[in-house]
Amino acid sequence: MLPLNRKKIRRVIGYGLVFVFLLALAVPFAPSLAAVDQPPLKGQLEGNFTLLDEPVPAPNKTMSGEFGEAVSIADYRGQVVLVNFWATWCAPCVREMPSLDRLQAALSAEGFKVMAVSIDRGGIDAVLPFYQRLGLENLAIFLDPRGEYAQEYGLRGLPSTYLVDRQGRLVGGSEGPLEWDAPEVLDLIRYYLADKPKDS
């Protein structure tokens, strides 16, 4: 049996205790792996934007574009899409539209699309003058005058907004107006923009 070196044992135990102490101090300040991989919901998004536990396929019903062409969310597969339902008579919608326009301008080069879907019964005749009056230059026009596309989302009020990832899956949404070009919104959308399609 080897003789025990008590000094060496005490030194090893001492180093071990110091290490454990330092580790205990560091743990509260170290982000957990789970937290790092979670979509960031900060600022105005906290409590106002709900993420689904599991993404689901986004509704793919067609609607009309500005020139009467049939369009659907499938046309933007591979991009991150923010689907926003609004109307010209909805005061909170009017308030948030300029921020959606700025959001589209800020992220369009990164593979992002805002689908601002008007449910105005007057269609393009109601929407086009509204765009011109507010100086909206970056948002494409999408029309759902019968509310058929809105029904697919179970729309309960305006404005309502839904986020769709590059794989065409609905990941979350919000009800009510937000400042869509705020830094925390850019962070959330860029989280999904970073998830490149598998075939890219």
Side-chain angles (χ1 to χ4, degrees), residues 39-128:
L41 292 181
K42 302 174 290 186
Q44 63 179 331
L45 296 178
E46 221 174 341
N48 292 318
F49 193 96
T50 303
L51 291 169
L52 300 180
D53 292 334
E54 291 292 335
V56 297
N60 195 34
K61 196 175 184 70
T62 59
M63 68 198 92
S64 296
E66 180 176 351
F67 304 104
E69 72 279 19
V71 292
S72 76
I73 204 162
D75 297 329
Y76 301 98
R77 185 71 180 256
Q79 298 185 53
V80 173
V81 181
L82 193 73
V83 182
N84 174 268
F85 291 99
W86 70 283
T88 58
W89 44 262
C90 162
C93 304
V94 174
R95 195 162 62 246
E96 76 173 3
M97 287 296 278
S99 71
L100 284 166
D101 192 60
R102 294 190 298 268
L103 175 65
Q104 179 63 70
L107 296 181
S108 61
E110 298 180 36
F112 172 72
K113 183 72 176 178
V114 174
M115 292 184 75
V117 183
S118 164
I119 64 167
D120 285 275
R121 292 188 178 179
I124 192 66
D125 292 336
V127 173
L128 196 54

Side-chain angles (χ1 to χ4, degrees), residues 3-192:
L4 294 175
N5 186 330
R6 295 183 186 279
K7 280 189 178 179
K8 185 179 284 188
I9 290 172
R10 279 199 298 269
R11 193 161 54 241
V12 169
I13 291 172
Y15 290 151
L17 290 173
V18 169
F19 175 76
V20 169
F21 176 72
L22 291 174
L23 187 62
L25 285 177
V27 164
F29 302 101
S32 69
L33 290 176
V36 169
D37 196 37
Q38 291 299 311
L41 292 181
K42 302 174 290 186
Q44 63 179 331
L45 296 178
E46 221 174 341
N48 292 318
F49 193 96
T50 303
L51 291 169
L52 300 180
D53 292 334
E54 291 292 335
V56 297
N60 195 34
K61 196 175 184 70
T62 59
M63 68 198 92
S64 296
E66 180 176 351
F67 304 104
E69 72 279 19
V71 292
S72 76
I73 204 162
D75 297 329
Y76 301 98
R77 185 71 180 256
Q79 298 185 53
V80 173
V81 181
L82 193 73
V83 182
N84 174 268
F85 291 99
W86 70 283
T88 58
W89 44 262
C90 162
C93 304
V94 174
R95 195 162 62 246
E96 76 173 3
M97 287 296 278
S99 71
L100 284 166
D101 192 60
R102 294 190 298 268
L103 175 65
Q104 179 63 70
L107 296 181
S108 61
E110 298 180 36
F112 172 72
K113 183 72 176 178
V114 174
M115 292 184 75
V117 183
S118 164
I119 64 167
D120 285 275
R121 292 188 178 179
I124 192 66
D125 292 336
V127 173
L128 196 54
F130 175 88
Y131 267 51
Q132 292 168 343
R133 188 166 65 253
L134 263 67
L136 304 177
E137 299 178 347
N138 302 291
L139 293 177
I141 293 175
F142 299 92
L143 306 167
D144 183 30
R146 295 182 179 177
E148 293 174 349
Y149 189 59
Q151 283 180 0
E152 296 288 313
Y153 281 85
L155 195 70
R156 297 188 300 180
L158 294 176
S160 288
T161 310
Y162 304 88
L163 188 60
V164 178
D165 69 11
R166 290 184 184 272
Q167 285 74 47
R169 302 174 304 177
L170 181 63
V171 297
S174 67
E175 294 180 351
L178 291 173
E179 281 298 315
W180 288 104
D181 60 335
E184 62 267 29
V185 177
L186 297 177
D187 287 346
L188 176 64
I189 293 171
R190 284 187 169 126
Y191 173 92
Y192 290 100

